Amino acid sequence: MSDSSMSAPSGPTTFRAYVNERGVSVALGATVRDAVAAFDLSEAEALDRGERRVTDSRGLPVDATVPVHGGAIFRLLPIRAAAT
C-alpha cells in the first residue's frame, strides 16, 4: 500500500503570461524580467540596460523584479533619451 500523502503535490509547474500581446510560458515564481526574456531575450537585455520599461495592461509601471501571476499582461516601452 503506497502512502499518497508523502508524495509531492502534482500540478502545473508553468503558467501563461503575456508580453506585448504574445503568450509566454514561465515557471512558477518567475519575475517580470523572466517573462520578458521568454518573449525575447534581446528585449530583456534592453530592459537590463535601462533602454526599456515595463507597464501592466493599464499602463502603470511594473518593476522587473516582481513575481508574475498567471494571465498577467505586460507591455514593453522604449525609454527615450533626454534632449541635451
Side-chain angles (χ1 to χ4, degrees), residues 12-80:
T13 58
T14 63
F15 60 89
R16 296 293 276 178
Y18 299 85
V19 179
N20 287 359
E21 301 176 6
R22 191 171 93 200
V24 296
S25 293
V26 293
L28 296 176
T31 64
V32 171
R33 199 259 185 220
D34 296 330
V36 172
F39 167 73
D40 185 320
L41 187 55
S42 65
E43 289 290 345
E45 292 167 347
L47 181 64
D48 294 342
R49 290 189 304 269
E51 297 169 359
R52 300 281 185 277
R53 62 186 172 108
V54 181
T55 65
D56 65 13
S57 61
R58 300 168 294 166
L60 299 174
V62 177
D63 188 298
T65 62
V66 299
V68 175
H69 60 83
I73 299 171
F74 302 107
R75 308 244 188 271
L76 287 169
L77 301 171
I79 295 179
R80 302 184 197 285

